[in-house]
Amino acid sequence: MAAERTGSAHLQSLTVLGIRIGGAALQMALVAVVALRFPVEDVGLNGLLWSIALVARMAGSFGVDLSGMREQAPLWAANDGRRARLLARRDARTIAVLWGFVGIAVALVAGLGEFLGYPGRWLIAFWMVAAASAFGRLFMVQRIAKQQPVAGQFMESVALPFFGLVAALAASYTDPGLLIPGQVVSFVLMALIMWWLSPAPGRSLAQYRSQGIEIPRTPWKVALPLGLGATLTALCVRGPMFVLSSRSLAVAGTYDVAQRIQSAGAMGTSAVSTVFGPRIAVAVRERPKLRRLVIEAAVASAVMPALLLVFLLVVGEHSLVSLLGAEYSGTWGAAVVLVISTLINATTSATSNVLMLGGYERWFMRISGVQLLLVVGGAWLTGADTAPAMAFWVLGGELFRSLAMSIGFLLHDRSLKKSAEVEATDAARA
């Protein structure tokens, strides 16, 4: 891990994709163990826990991860490691302070809940998972900014579901009540290892100050719109689970299995985005290079969801119901629709990075907000209470998002073209 070197975009994409394929197999094994050895209500509760983790992974860093990558990627590319590490430590401290305050508030509410007879202890478990996911995301993005994504991807894609699988198997053979605590421990362990692998450990900020080195402030004007946009995006992905969980944990369990199947297709998009993200951050003002990166990312991202869609259509619903049981009859249809939405997202995923990293944070935030209203708001108002019905709302939201992000990229490309023409005219006059 420590000897990880920066390679070509394609080689790193293939490496990360290979890691994610292994991780997808472990995710499927985890889903199978939980679905086959625990009641469907426990499957829904476990899905709710992982949904909270995913939302916190995207939103829990409050945009500091993405704003940090914008600052750190050019520094690493220029071999200015000292300043890049300084910014990494600043961001880690910022997130620690924020989640510390959240933890105090959660502890007070949980204590009050226990006093009134409610299971407040679950709030503590949810906070631990959310905080661990947020830190894991921050530390992984810091390695991505350094163009060293492999170790972070291994921990998130392989080690985390492996820990969760071991915990689920242990609970199934000892005490089923240990399923959720075991998953919580898995997230915390992953975050601790990610911290050790990140650029953040080392000299404290106080030591920098004692040497007269100024600590730059967190760029909140950039971070907060990015963080809010990421929050809205995460809620679009996992919001349906929250809606279904409020109505029936059993239905939420069938939808969670469909989402886990979808994640096998999304891993290709995520792998490509992981590798191409810092390159887009560096080339966001270089029109020819940026266009090439966006096209390459779109083609590479679409392979996995396309193959998964073909696989689902060939296997059919009967095979899945025979494996899991009649209570999962809606899972296949939901999975097909969700994979189609993933395929659409794959072809435009890089355009989202352009908006996030190119100075269009507020547009990214607004697009994500409208998508959330379409998905969660539409599903709630129409009373969607089955996995396939919810999946169709997700598909509608993804169609809007992909169209809006593509238009945003075309406008950015047009502005770069005009800037180049103005510069050429000025040079000719000079």
Side-chain angles (χ1 to χ4, degrees):
M1 300 290 184
E4 180 185 336
R5 297 179 182 272
T6 301
S8 69
H10 294 293
L11 178 59
Q12 285 195 348
S13 294
L14 289 174
T15 302
V16 173
L17 180 58
I19 290 173
R20 285 192 167 271
I21 291 174
L26 288 170
Q27 283 278 5
M28 291 300 101
L30 175 59
V31 169
V33 167
V34 175
L36 295 175
R37 302 186 68 88
F38 294 88
V40 68
E41 290 78 11
D42 285 352
V43 176
L45 182 59
N46 186 62
L48 177 61
L49 183 79
W50 280 78
S51 296
I52 291 172
L54 185 140
V55 172
R57 177 186 179 275
M58 297 292 294
S61 55
F62 305 97
V64 171
D65 57 334
L66 295 174
S67 65
M69 184 165 73
R70 283 181 56 172
E71 293 179 296
Q72 295 164 36
L75 294 175
W76 287 116
N79 294 319
D80 190 355
R82 189 181 75 163
R83 185 169 177 81
R85 289 188 182 90
L86 171 62
L87 295 177
R89 288 159 193 159
R90 176 206 65 187
D91 292 347
R93 181 197 61 181
T94 299
I95 298 303
V97 171
L98 291 173
W99 275 100
F101 283 119
V102 173
I104 293 172
V106 167
L108 292 175
V109 173
L112 179 62
E114 291 289 340
F115 178 76
L116 296 176
Y118 296 100
R121 66 186 73 92
W122 286 113
L123 290 177
I124 300 294
F126 292 155
W127 172 81
M128 292 177 66
V129 167
S133 298
F135 278 108
R137 162 72 177 182
L138 174 68
F139 297 142
M140 185 182 73
V141 171
Q142 288 177 348
R143 290 191 64 89
I144 292 174
K146 199 177 178 181
Q147 296 194 21
Q148 294 181 342
V150 175
Q153 285 299 306
F154 178 83
M155 288 306 306
E156 183 181 70
S157 301
V158 177
L160 177 58
F162 174 76
F163 295 153
L165 176 60
V166 171
L169 286 171
S172 69
Y173 284 108
T174 56
D175 181 1
L178 295 177
L179 172 63
I180 301 303
Q183 302 302 300
V184 173
V185 171
S186 300
F187 280 99
V188 173
L189 182 58
M190 180 273 300
L192 290 173
I193 298 175
M194 282 298 300
W195 170 79
W196 180 71
L197 293 173
S198 76
R203 287 187 297 171
S204 67
L205 294 180
Q207 290 175 310
Y208 280 102
R209 291 193 186 94
S210 66
Q211 297 175 0
I213 300 175
E214 182 181 356
I215 310 298
R217 293 184 178 181
T218 301
W220 287 114
K221 288 185 178 181
V222 174
L224 288 179
L226 287 173
L228 183 55
T231 301
L232 297 172
T233 300
L235 289 175
C236 288
V237 176
R238 291 296 178 171
M241 269 296 296
F242 299 144
V243 174
L244 291 177
S245 295
S246 68
R247 292 172 175 165
S248 169
L249 283 177
V251 175
T254 64
Y255 184 81
D256 179 60
V257 174
Q259 268 200 329
R260 298 300 182 93
I261 295 173
Q262 175 204 20
S263 67
M267 67 183 177
T269 304
S270 180
V272 172
S273 179
T274 295
V275 174
F276 278 78
R279 290 171 169 79
I280 289 175
V282 174
V284 74
R285 301 295 174 190
E286 303 174 24
R287 185 170 180 252
K289 185 176 181 180
L290 181 62
R291 295 181 72 179
R292 186 179 70 253
L293 287 173
V294 169
I295 294 172
E296 289 178 358
V299 173
S301 297
V303 174
M304 289 301 296
L307 292 175
L308 180 59
L309 179 59
V310 172
F311 173 77
L312 285 174
L313 294 176
V314 171
V315 169
E317 182 177 10
H318 178 73
S319 299
L320 189 62
V321 173
S322 298
L323 174 65
L324 298 178
E327 61 268 32
Y328 292 94
S329 59
T331 296
W332 181 85
V336 169
V337 176
L338 289 175
V339 172
I340 292 174
S341 69
T342 298
L343 180 59
I344 294 171
N345 174 69
T347 60
T348 59
S349 60
T351 61
S352 301
N353 286 332
V354 173
L355 294 188
M356 287 188 291
L357 303 173
Y360 303 94
E361 303 89 4
R362 296 186 183 278
W363 280 108
F364 170 71
M365 176 183 68
R366 291 169 185 143
I367 292 170
S368 300
V370 175
Q371 183 188 12
L372 178 63
L373 289 176
L374 286 173
V375 176
V376 178
W380 181 267
L381 291 175
T382 58
D385 56 0
T386 66
M390 188 64 74
F392 274 109
W393 280 106
V394 172
L395 175 60
E398 189 54 58
L399 285 170
F400 164 78
R401 176 188 178 87
S402 295
L403 178 62
M405 293 293 181
S406 298
I407 292 174
F409 168 73
L410 292 176
L411 292 175
H412 176 70
D413 181 74
R414 183 180 178 183
S415 69
L416 292 180
K417 181 180 179 181
K418 286 185 176 180
S419 298
E421 291 174 350
V422 170
E423 291 177 0
T425 302
D426 292 342
R429 289 176 180 175

